[in-house]
Structures are given as structure tokens and as C-alpha cells.
Amino acid sequence: MFVDRVKIHVKGGNGGNGMVSFYRAKYITHGGPDGGDGGKGGSVIFIGDEGLNTLMDFRFKRLFKARNGEDGGKRNCFGKDGEDVIIKVPVGTVIREAESGKVMADINKAGEEKVLIFGGKGGKGNQHFATPTRQAPRYAERGRIAKEYDVILELKLIADVGLIGFPNVGKSTLLSMVTNANPKIANYHFTTLSPNLGVVQGKYGDTFVLADIPGLVEGASEGVGLGHEFLRHVERTKVFIHVVDAAGVEGDDPVESVRKINRELEEYNSELLKRPQVIAANKTDIPEAAENVERLKEVYEKEGYKVFPISAATNKGLDELLTAVAAILKDYPEDIVFEEDYEEYDEVAVDKEPFTIEEEEDGYFVVTGVGVEKMIGYTNIETEKGFAFFQRYLKEKGIIEALEEKGIEQGDTVRIYDLEFEFWK
């Protein structure tokens, strides 16, 4: 079964907690703090596997969770790191955040790795919090909670050239004549119920991948027929071969058929009509096709579409068609990649979770709270966006104002879990 869209749940491993412990030995009654750090949680990693061509396996397993890090131990023993969870997906898989629909990753190369969720940091043991004035700290840091998401996996076939057109116009026959693919072929609608791929060898130029995209009918962009089930597979295609029944065997007007399919492409994604397209006027071995071929040329060559009379069944005109397509591909070398547009910095709601501020004896102002802990765990302040979000969060949450009410002065130290910084306004 060909499965090209599934929803799964992924969660990173939480970090282990730091340990509160003090060294104890014979004749030593007041040993110093020796609590170890918690281990790092496992990450969720997606890898492109060229041996896979369907998302079928995800229909039976939909929950993927990395292991948590172990807690720290006595005598400065570190907790064990949690194991990563490795998820193999077909090349061409786009990962979207389920609620927003935004792209989190595009796995478009074999062996490509994407760490979708980093494991939570392990908490520091109490040994890290000892100071000359506080030699026996009785607290340690909790491990960070890792993110979790519902994500949509969408398989968009990696093909250089796509065969589009109404059912029963000869797309599968054309694919079988120029590649080693063996699609099911018969004289009725929707013979092809899943996309078929074939490789066109270098006879016509550079080798390229040709895909038969089935399921296109009028109204497909609105979900009619198989609609979106297959329209998503044209999104990576660099060049379209628009196959049309020039003989009108099914009673359709070839000129209007081209117009209808292009309208569906435009309504689904207007960028698709900006891609190069050639028209393959098929079934020219039937006498009635000659007049329609001339009509197609008269209408569409004015719009920049080259029309090639062919007969897929008799191999007529296929060399000219594929040579022209190979030439177009030479001028269109770049791969089509879906840019990541999901922003994680809107995840933490600044107006919900409470926080507390305590002033310690050694001049530290310590900020704690569930929302603050999530923000620190989720935000990479080493990046420009992450640091900007961190500053905005402190202001909008009211932490800056609360620190001033506590009497903080310029140059005083603020600690938010494992993050320390000097206060300057």
C-alpha cells in the first residue's frame, strides 16, 4: 500500500535531575557537596533513507519518544544520557507541525539528518552551587523538560519531470516506453492509483527521474476525486510533461483539457504554473488527432508551451519530446526544497505561568517558575532570534519590573536555573 501522509507524535527525552549529596567518610563529618549532574535526554532525529518509498510503517506506530536522562548520583557521578530515537523516512519527506501546518524540516537527500527535538539538559548537582559564603547548598537543579509535537509527515516524490493530465490519456504508457517502470495499464479511468517513478537513461541528455502523477481531474484542487492525495507530488517537479488525448477518444476537447488541468495546478499552488511545461499531444496514430494537434499548437505555443505530437503506444515522437525536456532540465538544475518556516519562540505563553524571585545572601537574584523553566529549556539564546525572544520574554512577563521592585542594581547577578547574567538596563 502506498501511504504518503501520516500524523505521528514525537517527544524528546527529559534531562535527569541533579543530585543533592554531601561527601561522607570515616573521620570526615562535614564533607563538601558532591552531588552529580543529571544526564542529557535523548533527541528525536529524522534520517532520509533511500530504501524507503512509502510512509506505510507509520500507520502502525505513531508514538516516538526518546529516553530520559538518568539522575545524577553521589560522589560527583553523572547520570547516564538518554538514548536518541532515530526515525527513518523516505527521501522527499516534509515534516510539518500539525497545528500550524508550518514546515519544520524537509528531508530531501539520502542520509540527511535533522534533529527535530533536542534532548533536555541534565540538571546540575549541588556541587555547582557551593560558594565561599554558602558551602553546603541543599538544592540541585532539575533536568530540563524536552519538547513534544504532533507532526504531519508528507511524502512529496523526488522527480525531475512529472507527467500530468486527465486519466486515460496515456501517461502510464509513456512512462513504460521510456523507462524500465512497469505500471498497470488498461483502458479505463484511474488505472494508476499511486504515483509511479522511472529513470530515463542518458540517451536524451543527462539521466533524470520521470514520475506519472495520477488522480488529476477537474476539481482536484478542492479535493475532488483523489485530489490532494496526489497533487502534493507535483510540488517538487521541475518540468511538467502535460499529456493530452489529441484524438479525443473520451469525447473531451484537448484544448480545453489542458486549460482545466492547468487551472487545477494554479488553484492548488500558483507557483506550479511558473515551472517549465511542454504539451505531449498523444494518440496521434489515430487519424482524428491531426486537426487537434494544429489547434493545440495555435492556442498554446503563443503562450510559450511547446507542443510535441507523439504516440506513446507506437513510440512515435518520444525522442524529440524527451530531448527537449532534457535540455530544459540543464537550465533548471536546482532542487526544489521547502524552506523551514516554523518558529519555536511563540510556544511559551508569557501571561500564564507564575514566577518567584528570591534574593540570596551572596547577592544573587534567583528567578524560578514553570514558565521560566520552559523558556530557558526551549530557547537557544546563542542565536539572534533566541536572544531577542529571551529579552522580550523577561520584559513582557514582568520579570524586569519585579527585579527592580526587589531592589536589584546595575551589575547585580541574576540566575535563572543554569543561566547567569549581570543585570544592565
Side-chain angles (χ1 to χ4, degrees), residues 174-414:
L174 174 56
L175 180 71
S176 69
M177 294 297 286
V178 299
T179 74
N180 289 327
N182 294 302
K184 183 179 179 182
I185 300 171
N187 189 28
Y188 53 88
H189 289 300
F190 293 111
T191 305
T192 307
L193 296 178
S194 63
N196 290 305
L197 291 175
V199 178
V200 179
Q201 300 298 333
K203 172 183 177 182
Y204 309 102
D206 293 336
T207 298
F208 59 87
V209 178
L210 180 65
D212 172 13
I213 310 296
L216 291 185
V217 297
E218 190 172 9
S221 61
E222 299 173 359
V224 174
L226 297 178
H228 296 160
E229 296 300 316
F230 295 128
L231 269 170
R232 70 173 63 96
H233 293 293
V234 305
E235 293 186 89
R236 287 196 195 273
T237 303
K238 301 175 184 178
V239 180
F240 293 129
I241 298 178
H242 196 145
V243 185
V244 61
D245 177 6
V249 173
E250 299 291 326
D252 297 323
D253 178 9
V255 173
E256 187 59 26
S257 294
V258 173
R259 192 79 67 194
K260 287 177 180 178
I261 291 296
N262 281 347
R263 189 180 304 123
E264 296 305 321
L265 294 178
E266 183 177 26
E267 290 180 1
Y268 179 74
N269 183 348
S270 60
E271 291 296 316
L272 295 178
L273 279 191
K274 298 179 182 179
R275 312 244 176 106
Q277 182 178 142
V278 298
I279 296 174
N282 194 22
K283 303 185 182 181
T284 55
D285 53 313
I286 300 175
E288 290 80 0
E291 180 181 348
N292 287 327
V293 169
E294 294 305 316
R295 291 178 58 224
L296 286 166
K297 288 184 176 181
E298 182 180 351
V299 173
Y300 289 109
E301 290 194 346
K302 294 178 182 177
E303 300 180 16
Y305 298 120
K306 182 73 173 175
V307 178
F308 292 88
I310 69 166
S311 171
T314 62
N315 220 12
K316 173 187 173 183
L318 300 188
D319 287 356
E320 293 82 358
L321 171 65
L322 294 178
T323 299
V325 169
I328 295 173
L329 283 174
K330 282 188 176 181
D331 297 327
Y332 202 119
E334 68 271 13
D335 293 328
I336 296 173
V337 178
F338 291 80
E339 298 294 333
E340 298 176 16
D341 57 1
Y342 179 75
E343 289 287 352
E344 62 184 24
Y345 301 118
D346 293 329
E347 292 177 1
V348 182
V350 297
D351 58 347
K352 291 183 178 179
E353 303 290 352
F355 64 90
T356 60
I357 297 177
E358 295 182 2
E359 183 178 2
E360 299 187 347
E361 295 178 359
D362 51 4
Y364 278 78
F365 288 80
V366 180
V367 182
T368 57
V370 175
V372 177
E373 184 178 13
K374 287 182 181 178
M375 182 272 297
I376 291 295
Y378 286 6
T379 307
N380 181 6
I381 64 173
E382 295 179 0
T383 66
E384 183 178 349
K385 286 185 177 180
F387 185 68
F389 171 76
F390 171 70
Q391 291 180 309
R392 188 172 70 250
Y393 180 91
L394 295 182
K395 183 177 181 180
E396 293 180 3
K397 181 75 173 176
I399 293 176
I400 299 296
E401 183 179 353
L403 285 169
E404 292 176 335
E405 291 176 357
K406 282 281 188 178
I408 195 170
E409 297 181 355
Q410 303 273 16
D412 286 345
T413 301
V414 178

Side-chain angles (χ1 to χ4, degrees), residues 65-91:
K65 183 179 179 181
R67 290 187 177 275
N68 296 333
E70 293 183 358
D71 295 342
K74 299 179 180 180
R75 302 200 175 186
N76 302 325
C77 290
F78 286 83
K80 182 180 178 181
D81 290 346
E83 293 183 10
D84 298 333
V85 60
I86 306 296
I87 304 175
K88 294 183 178 181
V89 295
V91 176

